[in-house]
Amino acid sequence: TGVVKSLPMEAFYGLSYLAEVYFPAVTYIGTDGIARNAYLTSISLPQVVSVSQYGIAFNGLTNIDLPQAERLSYYAIYGNGDLQTVNLPKVSWIGNSCFANCDKLTDVYLGRRESIVTFNSANNTFDWCSSTLKIHVPSELYDAYISKYGYYSYIWSTGRRRYYQDVFVSDL
């Protein structure tokens, strides 16, 4: 028997019956790897390090916890309309439009303590998320986030920009 370490392109794509995913050893999710599963409400990927574009997109998830994730590609978690909370304690890079159209997203926890997270081109990352969105960052890095991204964070596009006051919160 083998251990699944990678989910290839469209491994779990558009499965109307898929409600739960658990892969304890998977470290990589390919393009559309777990996507367009409207009834998928639970996901456990404790070893995932990298998520490709649309890797966990258009699902019915309310919470995502990726404790080992370091890199989320553009559109990686796009369009999860019921998503409310995301925990990314080790992430260092987030692609543009990664969380766009997650319109119920209110809390993102970034716990990387060595340096601030790089938002690719600081563009569209949280476009069309909840107007109450808060990005929780370590208190020792709060000033660095404000210095780089500002109080009115510019991590969403000018075309559909929503300005969120005090997006960054230092409460970790």
PDB file of all heavy atoms in Angstrom, residues 25-58:
ATOM      1  N   ALA A  25      -1.192  12.779   4.721  1.00  0.00           N
ATOM      2  CA  ALA A  25       0.181  12.896   4.239  1.00  0.00           C
ATOM      3  C   ALA A  25       0.343  13.753   2.984  1.00  0.00           C
ATOM      4  O   ALA A  25       1.457  13.987   2.541  1.00  0.00           O
ATOM      5  CB  ALA A  25       0.755  11.497   3.976  1.00  0.00           C
ATOM      6  N   VAL A  26      -0.740  14.238   2.399  1.00  0.00           N
ATOM      7  CA  VAL A  26      -0.658  15.042   1.177  1.00  0.00           C
ATOM      8  C   VAL A  26       0.059  16.360   1.463  1.00  0.00           C
ATOM      9  O   VAL A  26      -0.274  17.059   2.422  1.00  0.00           O
ATOM     10  CB  VAL A  26      -2.060  15.299   0.588  1.00  0.00           C
ATOM     11  CG1 VAL A  26      -2.034  16.393  -0.467  1.00  0.00           C
ATOM     12  CG2 VAL A  26      -2.613  14.031  -0.019  1.00  0.00           C
ATOM     13  N   THR A  27       1.051  16.684   0.610  1.00  0.00           N
ATOM     14  CA  THR A  27       1.788  17.940   0.771  1.00  0.00           C
ATOM     15  C   THR A  27       1.522  18.932  -0.357  1.00  0.00           C
ATOM     16  O   THR A  27       1.845  20.106  -0.229  1.00  0.00           O
ATOM     17  CB  THR A  27       3.308  17.673   0.837  1.00  0.00           C
ATOM     18  OG1 THR A  27       3.718  17.017  -0.362  1.00  0.00           O
ATOM     19  CG2 THR A  27       3.666  16.833   2.045  1.00  0.00           C
ATOM     20  N   TYR A  28       0.935  18.469  -1.471  1.00  0.00           N
ATOM     21  CA  TYR A  28       0.695  19.339  -2.616  1.00  0.00           C
ATOM     22  C   TYR A  28      -0.686  19.068  -3.202  1.00  0.00           C
ATOM     23  O   TYR A  28      -1.075  17.913  -3.380  1.00  0.00           O
ATOM     24  CB  TYR A  28       1.760  19.100  -3.699  1.00  0.00           C
ATOM     25  CG  TYR A  28       1.483  19.820  -4.990  1.00  0.00           C
ATOM     26  CD1 TYR A  28       1.726  21.184  -5.109  1.00  0.00           C
ATOM     27  CD2 TYR A  28       0.956  19.145  -6.082  1.00  0.00           C
ATOM     28  CE1 TYR A  28       1.457  21.849  -6.288  1.00  0.00           C
ATOM     29  CE2 TYR A  28       0.696  19.807  -7.270  1.00  0.00           C
ATOM     30  CZ  TYR A  28       0.944  21.161  -7.370  1.00  0.00           C
ATOM     31  OH  TYR A  28       0.666  21.817  -8.540  1.00  0.00           O
ATOM     32  N   ILE A  29      -1.394  20.145  -3.537  1.00  0.00           N
ATOM     33  CA  ILE A  29      -2.685  20.037  -4.219  1.00  0.00           C
ATOM     34  C   ILE A  29      -2.549  20.732  -5.570  1.00  0.00           C
ATOM     35  O   ILE A  29      -2.250  21.922  -5.638  1.00  0.00           O
ATOM     36  CB  ILE A  29      -3.821  20.674  -3.402  1.00  0.00           C
ATOM     37  CG1 ILE A  29      -3.958  19.958  -2.064  1.00  0.00           C
ATOM     38  CG2 ILE A  29      -5.135  20.620  -4.175  1.00  0.00           C
ATOM     39  CD1 ILE A  29      -4.935  20.593  -1.130  1.00  0.00           C
ATOM     40  N   GLY A  30      -2.778  19.982  -6.643  1.00  0.00           N
ATOM     41  CA  GLY A  30      -2.657  20.509  -7.997  1.00  0.00           C
ATOM     42  C   GLY A  30      -3.839  21.373  -8.403  1.00  0.00           C
ATOM     43  O   GLY A  30      -4.815  21.530  -7.665  1.00  0.00           O
ATOM     44  N   THR A  31      -3.768  21.899  -9.600  1.00  0.00           N
ATOM     45  CA  THR A  31      -4.819  22.758 -10.149  1.00  0.00           C
ATOM     46  C   THR A  31      -6.170  22.044 -10.095  1.00  0.00           C
ATOM     47  O   THR A  31      -6.297  20.908 -10.544  1.00  0.00           O
ATOM     48  CB  THR A  31      -4.487  23.130 -11.613  1.00  0.00           C
ATOM     49  OG1 THR A  31      -3.231  23.793 -11.617  1.00  0.00           O
ATOM     50  CG2 THR A  31      -5.548  24.017 -12.210  1.00  0.00           C
ATOM     51  N   ASP A  32      -7.166  22.715  -9.521  1.00  0.00           N
ATOM     52  CA  ASP A  32      -8.511  22.153  -9.371  1.00  0.00           C
ATOM     53  C   ASP A  32      -8.499  20.816  -8.624  1.00  0.00           C
ATOM     54  O   ASP A  32      -9.390  19.992  -8.806  1.00  0.00           O
ATOM     55  CB  ASP A  32      -9.190  21.962 -10.728  1.00  0.00           C
ATOM     56  CG  ASP A  32      -9.572  23.273 -11.386  1.00  0.00           C
ATOM     57  OD1 ASP A  32     -10.093  24.154 -10.682  1.00  0.00           O
ATOM     58  OD2 ASP A  32      -9.361  23.416 -12.603  1.00  0.00           O
ATOM     59  N   GLY A  33      -7.519  20.591  -7.791  1.00  0.00           N
ATOM     60  CA  GLY A  33      -7.371  19.310  -7.089  1.00  0.00           C
ATOM     61  C   GLY A  33      -8.573  18.921  -6.251  1.00  0.00           C
ATOM     62  O   GLY A  33      -9.022  17.779  -6.275  1.00  0.00           O
ATOM     63  N   ILE A  34      -9.098  19.880  -5.502  1.00  0.00           N
ATOM     64  CA  ILE A  34     -10.309  19.662  -4.693  1.00  0.00           C
ATOM     65  C   ILE A  34     -11.195  20.869  -4.988  1.00  0.00           C
ATOM     66  O   ILE A  34     -11.220  21.839  -4.240  1.00  0.00           O
ATOM     67  CB  ILE A  34      -9.985  19.579  -3.189  1.00  0.00           C
ATOM     68  CG1 ILE A  34      -8.945  18.496  -2.902  1.00  0.00           C
ATOM     69  CG2 ILE A  34     -11.252  19.309  -2.383  1.00  0.00           C
ATOM     70  CD1 ILE A  34      -8.425  18.499  -1.469  1.00  0.00           C
ATOM     71  N   ALA A  35     -11.930  20.830  -6.091  1.00  0.00           N
ATOM     72  CA  ALA A  35     -12.668  22.012  -6.541  1.00  0.00           C
ATOM     73  C   ALA A  35     -14.067  21.666  -7.038  1.00  0.00           C
ATOM     74  O   ALA A  35     -14.315  20.574  -7.534  1.00  0.00           O
ATOM     75  CB  ALA A  35     -11.885  22.716  -7.647  1.00  0.00           C
ATOM     76  N   ARG A  36     -14.936  22.662  -6.897  1.00  0.00           N
ATOM     77  CA  ARG A  36     -16.326  22.584  -7.372  1.00  0.00           C
ATOM     78  C   ARG A  36     -17.091  21.405  -6.783  1.00  0.00           C
ATOM     79  O   ARG A  36     -17.780  20.666  -7.477  1.00  0.00           O
ATOM     80  CB  ARG A  36     -16.381  22.569  -8.892  1.00  0.00           C
ATOM     81  CG  ARG A  36     -15.849  23.853  -9.499  1.00  0.00           C
ATOM     82  CD  ARG A  36     -16.237  24.014 -10.950  1.00  0.00           C
ATOM     83  NE  ARG A  36     -15.667  25.224 -11.496  1.00  0.00           N
ATOM     84  CZ  ARG A  36     -16.262  26.424 -11.437  1.00  0.00           C
ATOM     85  NH1 ARG A  36     -17.419  26.573 -10.856  1.00  0.00           N
ATOM     86  NH2 ARG A  36     -15.663  27.473 -11.962  1.00  0.00           N
ATOM     87  N   ASN A  37     -16.951  21.266  -5.468  1.00  0.00           N
ATOM     88  CA  ASN A  37     -17.674  20.238  -4.715  1.00  0.00           C
ATOM     89  C   ASN A  37     -18.612  20.955  -3.750  1.00  0.00           C
ATOM     90  O   ASN A  37     -18.243  21.250  -2.610  1.00  0.00           O
ATOM     91  CB  ASN A  37     -16.683  19.339  -3.972  1.00  0.00           C
ATOM     92  CG  ASN A  37     -15.715  18.670  -4.922  1.00  0.00           C
ATOM     93  OD1 ASN A  37     -16.105  17.885  -5.772  1.00  0.00           O
ATOM     94  ND2 ASN A  37     -14.445  19.006  -4.794  1.00  0.00           N
ATOM     95  N   ALA A  38     -19.801  21.244  -4.203  1.00  0.00           N
ATOM     96  CA  ALA A  38     -20.737  22.092  -3.457  1.00  0.00           C
ATOM     97  C   ALA A  38     -21.076  21.569  -2.070  1.00  0.00           C
ATOM     98  O   ALA A  38     -21.378  22.341  -1.170  1.00  0.00           O
ATOM     99  CB  ALA A  38     -22.019  22.278  -4.263  1.00  0.00           C
ATOM    100  N   TYR A  39     -21.013  20.271  -1.869  1.00  0.00           N
ATOM    101  CA  TYR A  39     -21.392  19.692  -0.584  1.00  0.00           C
ATOM    102  C   TYR A  39     -20.193  19.365   0.298  1.00  0.00           C
ATOM    103  O   TYR A  39     -20.346  18.800   1.375  1.00  0.00           O
ATOM    104  CB  TYR A  39     -22.262  18.451  -0.793  1.00  0.00           C
ATOM    105  CG  TYR A  39     -23.556  18.805  -1.478  1.00  0.00           C
ATOM    106  CD1 TYR A  39     -23.736  18.543  -2.825  1.00  0.00           C
ATOM    107  CD2 TYR A  39     -24.572  19.449  -0.787  1.00  0.00           C
ATOM    108  CE1 TYR A  39     -24.903  18.904  -3.477  1.00  0.00           C
ATOM    109  CE2 TYR A  39     -25.745  19.820  -1.423  1.00  0.00           C
ATOM    110  CZ  TYR A  39     -25.904  19.542  -2.764  1.00  0.00           C
ATOM    111  OH  TYR A  39     -27.062  19.915  -3.399  1.00  0.00           O
ATOM    112  N   LEU A  40     -19.013  19.741  -0.136  1.00  0.00           N
ATOM    113  CA  LEU A  40     -17.812  19.524   0.667  1.00  0.00           C
ATOM    114  C   LEU A  40     -17.784  20.540   1.801  1.00  0.00           C
ATOM    115  O   LEU A  40     -17.605  21.733   1.583  1.00  0.00           O
ATOM    116  CB  LEU A  40     -16.551  19.659  -0.193  1.00  0.00           C
ATOM    117  CG  LEU A  40     -15.227  19.475   0.542  1.00  0.00           C
ATOM    118  CD1 LEU A  40     -15.125  18.078   1.147  1.00  0.00           C
ATOM    119  CD2 LEU A  40     -14.061  19.732  -0.401  1.00  0.00           C
ATOM    120  N   THR A  41     -17.980  20.055   3.027  1.00  0.00           N
ATOM    121  CA  THR A  41     -18.030  20.949   4.179  1.00  0.00           C
ATOM    122  C   THR A  41     -16.871  20.752   5.144  1.00  0.00           C
ATOM    123  O   THR A  41     -16.648  21.569   6.022  1.00  0.00           O
ATOM    124  CB  THR A  41     -19.352  20.756   4.957  1.00  0.00           C
ATOM    125  OG1 THR A  41     -19.452  19.391   5.359  1.00  0.00           O
ATOM    126  CG2 THR A  41     -20.549  21.138   4.104  1.00  0.00           C
ATOM    127  N   SER A  42     -16.120  19.665   4.985  1.00  0.00           N
ATOM    128  CA  SER A  42     -15.028  19.382   5.908  1.00  0.00           C
ATOM    129  C   SER A  42     -13.788  18.955   5.137  1.00  0.00           C
ATOM    130  O   SER A  42     -13.852  18.117   4.248  1.00  0.00           O
ATOM    131  CB  SER A  42     -15.436  18.276   6.882  1.00  0.00           C
ATOM    132  OG  SER A  42     -14.374  17.944   7.735  1.00  0.00           O
ATOM    133  N   ILE A  43     -12.652  19.547   5.524  1.00  0.00           N
ATOM    134  CA  ILE A  43     -11.402  19.230   4.849  1.00  0.00           C
ATOM    135  C   ILE A  43     -10.296  19.164   5.907  1.00  0.00           C
ATOM    136  O   ILE A  43     -10.223  20.009   6.781  1.00  0.00           O
ATOM    137  CB  ILE A  43     -11.095  20.286   3.764  1.00  0.00           C
ATOM    138  CG1 ILE A  43     -10.017  19.812   2.821  1.00  0.00           C
ATOM    139  CG2 ILE A  43     -10.783  21.629   4.330  1.00  0.00           C
ATOM    140  CD1 ILE A  43      -9.913  20.655   1.564  1.00  0.00           C
ATOM    141  N   SER A  44      -9.479  18.126   5.835  1.00  0.00           N
ATOM    142  CA  SER A  44      -8.348  17.988   6.753  1.00  0.00           C
ATOM    143  C   SER A  44      -7.116  17.634   5.931  1.00  0.00           C
ATOM    144  O   SER A  44      -7.028  16.553   5.359  1.00  0.00           O
ATOM    145  CB  SER A  44      -8.626  16.915   7.805  1.00  0.00           C
ATOM    146  OG  SER A  44      -7.524  16.813   8.686  1.00  0.00           O
ATOM    147  N   LEU A  45      -6.198  18.584   5.883  1.00  0.00           N
ATOM    148  CA  LEU A  45      -4.972  18.434   5.109  1.00  0.00           C
ATOM    149  C   LEU A  45      -3.803  18.928   5.970  1.00  0.00           C
ATOM    150  O   LEU A  45      -3.206  19.975   5.685  1.00  0.00           O
ATOM    151  CB  LEU A  45      -5.065  19.239   3.803  1.00  0.00           C
ATOM    152  CG  LEU A  45      -6.241  18.866   2.896  1.00  0.00           C
ATOM    153  CD1 LEU A  45      -6.531  19.959   1.890  1.00  0.00           C
ATOM    154  CD2 LEU A  45      -5.950  17.550   2.195  1.00  0.00           C
ATOM    155  N   PRO A  46      -3.471  18.204   7.018  1.00  0.00           N
ATOM    156  CA  PRO A  46      -2.499  18.704   8.005  1.00  0.00           C
ATOM    157  C   PRO A  46      -1.078  18.870   7.503  1.00  0.00           C
ATOM    158  O   PRO A  46      -0.296  19.590   8.125  1.00  0.00           O
ATOM    159  CB  PRO A  46      -2.567  17.661   9.125  1.00  0.00           C
ATOM    160  CG  PRO A  46      -3.075  16.422   8.477  1.00  0.00           C
ATOM    161  CD  PRO A  46      -3.997  16.888   7.382  1.00  0.00           C
ATOM    162  N   GLN A  47      -0.710  18.258   6.366  1.00  0.00           N
ATOM    163  CA  GLN A  47       0.665  18.343   5.866  1.00  0.00           C
ATOM    164  C   GLN A  47       0.818  19.148   4.579  1.00  0.00           C
ATOM    165  O   GLN A  47       1.923  19.260   4.051  1.00  0.00           O
ATOM    166  CB  GLN A  47       1.236  16.929   5.660  1.00  0.00           C
ATOM    167  CG  GLN A  47       1.316  16.101   6.917  1.00  0.00           C
ATOM    168  CD  GLN A  47       2.159  16.764   7.999  1.00  0.00           C
ATOM    169  OE1 GLN A  47       3.237  17.277   7.734  1.00  0.00           O
ATOM    170  NE2 GLN A  47       1.639  16.780   9.215  1.00  0.00           N
ATOM    171  N   VAL A  48      -0.254  19.701   4.053  1.00  0.00           N
ATOM    172  CA  VAL A  48      -0.175  20.444   2.796  1.00  0.00           C
ATOM    173  C   VAL A  48       0.746  21.643   2.949  1.00  0.00           C
ATOM    174  O   VAL A  48       0.607  22.443   3.867  1.00  0.00           O
ATOM    175  CB  VAL A  48      -1.569  20.897   2.320  1.00  0.00           C
ATOM    176  CG1 VAL A  48      -1.488  21.994   1.278  1.00  0.00           C
ATOM    177  CG2 VAL A  48      -2.327  19.723   1.749  1.00  0.00           C
ATOM    178  N   VAL A  49       1.703  21.752   2.009  1.00  0.00           N
ATOM    179  CA  VAL A  49       2.666  22.849   1.991  1.00  0.00           C
ATOM    180  C   VAL A  49       2.322  23.837   0.889  1.00  0.00           C
ATOM    181  O   VAL A  49       2.507  25.035   1.037  1.00  0.00           O
ATOM    182  CB  VAL A  49       4.106  22.300   1.805  1.00  0.00           C
ATOM    183  CG1 VAL A  49       5.109  23.431   1.641  1.00  0.00           C
ATOM    184  CG2 VAL A  49       4.481  21.406   2.975  1.00  0.00           C
ATOM    185  N   SER A  50       1.768  23.333  -0.227  1.00  0.00           N
ATOM    186  CA  SER A  50       1.505  24.183  -1.379  1.00  0.00           C
ATOM    187  C   SER A  50       0.166  23.834  -2.026  1.00  0.00           C
ATOM    188  O   SER A  50      -0.161  22.663  -2.195  1.00  0.00           O
ATOM    189  CB  SER A  50       2.636  24.002  -2.403  1.00  0.00           C
ATOM    190  OG  SER A  50       2.425  24.809  -3.528  1.00  0.00           O
ATOM    191  N   VAL A  51      -0.587  24.877  -2.391  1.00  0.00           N
ATOM    192  CA  VAL A  51      -1.865  24.705  -3.082  1.00  0.00           C
ATOM    193  C   VAL A  51      -1.792  25.470  -4.397  1.00  0.00           C
ATOM    194  O   VAL A  51      -1.541  26.668  -4.420  1.00  0.00           O
ATOM    195  CB  VAL A  51      -3.047  25.223  -2.235  1.00  0.00           C
ATOM    196  CG1 VAL A  51      -4.369  25.032  -2.988  1.00  0.00           C
ATOM    197  CG2 VAL A  51      -3.097  24.535  -0.878  1.00  0.00           C
ATOM    198  N   SER A  52      -2.014  24.771  -5.495  1.00  0.00           N
ATOM    199  CA  SER A  52      -1.955  25.362  -6.828  1.00  0.00           C
ATOM    200  C   SER A  52      -3.247  26.140  -7.124  1.00  0.00           C
ATOM    201  O   SER A  52      -4.182  26.142  -6.329  1.00  0.00           O
ATOM    202  CB  SER A  52      -1.755  24.246  -7.860  1.00  0.00           C
ATOM    203  OG  SER A  52      -1.421  24.795  -9.111  1.00  0.00           O
ATOM    204  N   GLN A  53      -3.295  26.779  -8.310  1.00  0.00           N
ATOM    205  CA  GLN A  53      -4.456  27.595  -8.635  1.00  0.00           C
ATOM    206  C   GLN A  53      -5.747  26.781  -8.626  1.00  0.00           C
ATOM    207  O   GLN A  53      -5.775  25.668  -9.126  1.00  0.00           O
ATOM    208  CB  GLN A  53      -4.278  28.340  -9.960  1.00  0.00           C
ATOM    209  CG  GLN A  53      -4.231  27.486 -11.180  1.00  0.00           C
ATOM    210  CD  GLN A  53      -2.833  27.367 -11.744  1.00  0.00           C
ATOM    211  OE1 GLN A  53      -1.851  27.581 -11.058  1.00  0.00           O
ATOM    212  NE2 GLN A  53      -2.741  27.004 -13.000  1.00  0.00           N
ATOM    213  N   TYR A  54      -6.767  27.357  -8.032  1.00  0.00           N
ATOM    214  CA  TYR A  54      -8.083  26.734  -7.861  1.00  0.00           C
ATOM    215  C   TYR A  54      -7.990  25.394  -7.114  1.00  0.00           C
ATOM    216  O   TYR A  54      -8.887  24.580  -7.197  1.00  0.00           O
ATOM    217  CB  TYR A  54      -8.786  26.526  -9.208  1.00  0.00           C
ATOM    218  CG  TYR A  54      -9.084  27.807  -9.940  1.00  0.00           C
ATOM    219  CD1 TYR A  54      -8.322  28.193 -11.034  1.00  0.00           C
ATOM    220  CD2 TYR A  54     -10.126  28.623  -9.525  1.00  0.00           C
ATOM    221  CE1 TYR A  54      -8.594  29.386 -11.712  1.00  0.00           C
ATOM    222  CE2 TYR A  54     -10.403  29.815 -10.191  1.00  0.00           C
ATOM    223  CZ  TYR A  54      -9.637  30.181 -11.284  1.00  0.00           C
ATOM    224  OH  TYR A  54      -9.908  31.350 -11.948  1.00  0.00           O
ATOM    225  N   GLY A  55      -6.927  25.158  -6.386  1.00  0.00           N
ATOM    226  CA  GLY A  55      -6.722  23.884  -5.693  1.00  0.00           C
ATOM    227  C   GLY A  55      -7.816  23.516  -4.712  1.00  0.00           C
ATOM    228  O   GLY A  55      -8.206  22.358  -4.604  1.00  0.00           O
ATOM    229  N   ILE A  56      -8.322  24.507  -3.972  1.00  0.00           N
ATOM    230  CA  ILE A  56      -9.409  24.274  -3.011  1.00  0.00           C
ATOM    231  C   ILE A  56     -10.484  25.328  -3.280  1.00  0.00           C
ATOM    232  O   ILE A  56     -10.896  26.080  -2.410  1.00  0.00           O
ATOM    233  CB  ILE A  56      -8.899  24.366  -1.548  1.00  0.00           C
ATOM    234  CG1 ILE A  56      -7.693  23.457  -1.318  1.00  0.00           C
ATOM    235  CG2 ILE A  56     -10.004  23.995  -0.559  1.00  0.00           C
ATOM    236  CD1 ILE A  56      -7.052  23.601   0.058  1.00  0.00           C
ATOM    237  N   ALA A  57     -10.960  25.424  -4.498  1.00  0.00           N
ATOM    238  CA  ALA A  57     -11.879  26.486  -4.911  1.00  0.00           C
ATOM    239  C   ALA A  57     -13.303  25.972  -5.110  1.00  0.00           C
ATOM    240  O   ALA A  57     -13.522  24.809  -5.431  1.00  0.00           O
ATOM    241  CB  ALA A  57     -11.375  27.120  -6.202  1.00  0.00           C
ATOM    242  N   PHE A  58     -14.252  26.894  -4.942  1.00  0.00           N
ATOM    243  CA  PHE A  58     -15.675  26.631  -5.212  1.00  0.00           C
ATOM    244  C   PHE A  58     -16.208  25.413  -4.460  1.00  0.00           C
ATOM    245  O   PHE A  58     -16.841  24.535  -5.048  1.00  0.00           O
ATOM    246  CB  PHE A  58     -15.922  26.448  -6.715  1.00  0.00           C
ATOM    247  CG  PHE A  58     -15.564  27.637  -7.552  1.00  0.00           C
ATOM    248  CD1 PHE A  58     -14.443  27.606  -8.367  1.00  0.00           C
ATOM    249  CD2 PHE A  58     -16.349  28.778  -7.538  1.00  0.00           C
ATOM    250  CE1 PHE A  58     -14.111  28.697  -9.155  1.00  0.00           C
ATOM    251  CE2 PHE A  58     -16.023  29.865  -8.321  1.00  0.00           C
ATOM    252  CZ  PHE A  58     -14.904  29.827  -9.138  1.00  0.00           C
TER     253      PHE A  58
END
